[in-house]
Amino acid sequence: MLFTSTAGATELAGYSFGIAQDKNGFIYQASQQGGFRLDGQTHTPLADLYNVPNNWLEDVRYIKDKNQLLLAYGDLGLYQVDLTTNTTTRLINSGCWRVGLINDVIYCLRSHKLSSFEYQNGVLTPLKLLPDGLRVNAIADGYIDTDDGLFAIDGNTAKLIDATPATYTKISNNQYGLIAWRDKTLYYYDAFGKQKSTPWPTYPKSLYANGNTVYIEKNGAVVHLNLMDFSVINEKVNMIKSPVRRIFKDNSDNLWFISSNDVQIKPATINQLSLPYSSDYNIKKHFRNGFFVGTERGVLSHTSQGFNIVGSPADYGYVITDIAVIGDSLFIASNKGLTEYNYKNNETVKIYDKYVIALTVKSGELYVSTSFEGVFTYKNDIFATLHDVNSLLHNNEILDVKFIDNDMYVLSAEGFYIKDKLQRIGYHGNEIGIVVDAVKLNGSVYIATFGNGLYKFANGELQRLNSPQSIIDLQEFNSQLYIGTIDGVYKFTKTDYSLVPGTAGLNVTPNSMMLENESDLTFGTQYGITTIKLVNKVMTNQPRVTAVKTENKYFVNQTSHTFDAISQTSLYLSDLNFIGNTEFAYAIDDNWIDSGSGIINFHNIRPGNYTLKFKSRLNGGSWVEGESLNLEFIGKWYESNVVTLLLFVLPALVIMFIILFAVLLLKANYGVHKKLYDMIGSCKMNLALTKLLKAKSACSSPDLNKMADGLVYLDEAVDVIVPLAHGNAALGKRSIQQGLAALQAALQFECTGLNFEYTISFSDSVTLDAGLERDIYALVYHSVRNSIDHGKASQVEVFVEQVRSQVHVTVIDDGKGCSLYVRTFKYGLGLYVMRDVAKRYNTKLRFKSSKAGTSIAIGFPLCVKSVISRNEKAPS
């Protein structure tokens, strides 16, 4: 996996930092274009995230226990960023190009001048580590290399550990000690004070101490050395051609090789064995003391003593196409034929002198695939042609022989042949071209071709599968198929395939793929021998929001998720994997949307609250969901979802309210008119008349008994007539004074325990209009009846008073009150009459009611002449 990053074309001696990783997995890289934070998906400038200069960043360091970054901006000084609080502090105003750390001591190198400080509670105090005027060439954590020798920092002082002066130096350290290149010699100073050295004439552009080993650049190649004896572990670890200027190992043990213009990440699951010399095609085979490697320059044997050439490549051929081991014999296939080499006694025997393409071993017998003469076998010193197969060949160029179950597959440049256990031979695939390999996986046979991809072979039929086109080799492992090609290794699962991380650009050598240690996939490439640990799964991290951008400002560690609905808001997702291909998807209201870049953009979204879900998957694996976020977008009040809902609902509610209001009013009016109808159609008057007629007849009789019955009938008639006489609002020919007196007398008869009082106050010169008196009496009568019948009042007071040019009427009771709902929608005849009276006089009926009682007040004009044309009787 490559991504672009710029760095300086030249550098000062001792520059071995420039990249760091924090405990959360973010990587910070220094460059001439400023500092960047990497999360596996995006490069975010540090100047956008924190209050730091947008200038050339010379060095970056991370202090784990404080969760802080130290950023060296050259002449602009040293900045500190607290990653917990996102606060920035400028620690040093003077120049700082390289930073060294040891305990509570920070020191900066500018050119060849060192400045050192004690670092306590975010404050730097100047500290003198070295004598004045001493020229410093390089620094590392706890070490300073000068013209006067090499110093180790012990507490707050510097201790000389090597008095040998040096002019050109580069140093790197870890917990095991210090590795230093000083004037063409490589030194190792271990933690116990012991020193080792070896000549190293080439000035290394990069140096990185890793445990008891070191990675050191040499002529563009990064060499991996064992510090115990300086033996070479790997001649070339990197694969890029430009000089490596930084080497870095991240928290997942992936190696980063940083050159001037790019970065290569070597996954921890991939190991590269480099060879003593360059070879594009390499094949590895084990023997009891080590392993052989067939190259373009002959065959190498590797033992505890290192690599050695096998025999004479001039005799068996330089371009090795395949090798096989049977007992003590190594069989070498090349463009010059087949050679048997006995590595026990170093004897060589030529078996065949024409081009051999591949070798296959079955039950101690060697099957030899040739370029011009088909297939041969070799066993017990007998080299023989495979007559039955060769006689049927359409093309004598045989690429390989494979044994699947009890069948032999002969792969040629024009299809393949199958020889079953009954010695029957069938020909297949003349249309698919060059067949390079065949394997059985999950009960099916897969055929690989160079140029036409992968096929599934079943029941004599070939089915083309979605796969890379130019296949070199196949290997089955754990019910999965690994495909070696000219540009990487791919993993095939059922109907799809994906690139194995870290293998892009690898040209797999034919006949080289094999399993080692049961789960290590090994194959040859143009860089040597590559091994992938298939059981080590790439770490799958939970995705998260690593940054938020709104109104052209970036925010990290965002705890508030409230944003402006109109402005564009971008959420950056990452799983903090720096190798492999990560896919993202997000959902609002469970509608999942793919996001290849891992960026979610919101713009002009409707205000409201949303639940955001997101997930990721690495290299086509299983989806991993992150923690969902509750987002709130704030806009104008009229843009909210509530207002939008009301715009649709409110008209319906208004219509429903109007309908309900109308229904309730109609219902109340219907009750009033029904009561009037019942009063008009009442038979009580007829009943009273009937009883009076009976009383008259009985009292007219000389019979004393009938006369007694007549008196009874007369009492019954009185009981009916009295309520009729006093149970309506008709004043008749009486005055208001007489009407209220009669009402008081009637209430004493009907309602025992009721205290009814009235007051009438007028000047002597005022005589009310008869119509006004009738209307006042009607209003008072119905108000009093409501107080008694509905309010259950025990005391009622009536005031009819002259106030200037008006008559004020007030009725007060101590009843249980009458609610607004009842007065509006469940009123009876009384309230109806009272409101009708007020309406006729164009006055307002004031109504106050509570649980403590009710008061009704109204004002009438004092002198009224024929204001209302109405019947003598008001409705009761």
Side-chain angles (χ1 to χ4, degrees), residues 170-172 178-189 195-202 204 206-208 213-217 223-227 229-231:
K170 184 175 284 291
I171 61 178
S172 177
L178 174 73
I179 183 74
W181 184 91
R182 310 182 75 229
D183 289 344
K184 300 184 179 182
T185 302
L186 189 64
Y187 295 87
Y188 174 50
Y189 305 86
Q195 175 183 329
K196 298 178 182 179
S197 64
T198 186
W200 197 274
T202 306
S206 56
L207 189 69
Y208 179 74
T213 68
V214 62
Y215 293 94
I216 181 170
E217 187 271 344
V223 183
H224 193 194
L225 300 179
N226 186 339
L227 291 179
D229 55 5
F230 290 108
S231 61

Side-chain angles (χ1 to χ4, degrees), residues 153-271:
I153 300 176
D154 184 8
N156 294 338
T157 61
K159 178 182 178 181
L160 188 66
I161 60 174
D162 190 340
T164 305
T167 303
Y168 301 101
T169 64
K170 184 175 284 291
I171 61 178
S172 177
N173 75 296
N174 60 16
Q175 69 272 26
Y176 294 98
L178 174 73
I179 183 74
W181 184 91
R182 310 182 75 229
D183 289 344
K184 300 184 179 182
T185 302
L186 189 64
Y187 295 87
Y188 174 50
Y189 305 86
D190 65 20
F192 304 100
K194 296 181 180 180
Q195 175 183 329
K196 298 178 182 179
S197 64
T198 186
W200 197 274
T202 306
Y203 175 82
K205 294 182 177 63
S206 56
L207 189 69
Y208 179 74
N210 180 46
N212 289 320
T213 68
V214 62
Y215 293 94
I216 181 170
E217 187 271 344
K218 180 181 179 181
N219 299 326
V222 175
V223 183
H224 193 194
L225 300 179
N226 186 339
L227 291 179
M228 298 299 98
D229 55 5
F230 290 108
S231 61
V232 176
I233 300 173
N234 198 331
E235 285 283 354
K236 186 178 181 182
V237 182
N238 62 314
M239 297 179 185
I240 54 179
K241 296 180 180 180
S242 55
V244 174
R245 300 184 178 275
R246 313 284 182 274
I247 303 173
F248 168 71
K249 180 173 281 191
D250 63 22
N251 296 346
S252 299
D253 291 332
N254 303 311
L255 273 177
W256 293 52
F257 301 105
I258 305 171
S259 65
S260 297
N261 299 307
D262 55 24
V263 174
Q264 176 197 342
I265 304 175
K266 183 176 181 292
T269 55
I270 299 180
N271 293 319

Side-chain angles (χ1 to χ4, degrees), residues 460-474:
E461 299 292 332
L462 286 164
Q463 176 189 356
R464 176 71 164 83
L465 302 176
N466 184 25
S467 65
Q469 188 169 353
S470 299
I471 300 176
I472 300 295
D473 223 345
L474 297 177

Side-chain angles (χ1 to χ4, degrees), residues 331 337-340 349-353 366 368 378 382-383:
F331 292 90
L338 177 65
T339 301
E340 180 181 2
V349 177
K350 190 75 169 184
I351 301 174
Y352 180 70
D353 60 1
L366 186 68
V368 183
Y378 182 76
I382 300 175
F383 186 77

Side-chain angles (χ1 to χ4, degrees), residues 10 30 68 81 106 187 201 218 259 283 326 331 353 402 412 482 494 505 513 553 567 581 589 597 630 675 707 768:
T10 61
Q68 295 175 349
V81 177
I106 294 178
Y187 295 87
K218 180 181 179 181
S259 65
I283 304 169
I326 302 177
F331 292 90
D353 60 1
K402 296 289 183 178
S412 77
Y482 289 85
K494 293 183 180 178
M513 294 188 77
K553 293 183 180 179
S567 302
N581 180 34
D589 300 328
S597 63
N630 294 319
K675 189 171 183 178
M707 187 177 292
L768 297 179

Side-chain angles (χ1 to χ4, degrees), residues 560-567 605-610 631-637 639-640:
S560 173
H561 299 114
T562 302
F563 309 104
D564 182 50
I566 298 178
S567 302
I605 190 170
R606 183 169 296 280
N609 295 308
Y610 300 87
L631 307 180
E632 181 182 6
F633 289 90
I634 299 177
K636 303 296 183 182
W637 65 269
E639 296 175 329
S640 66

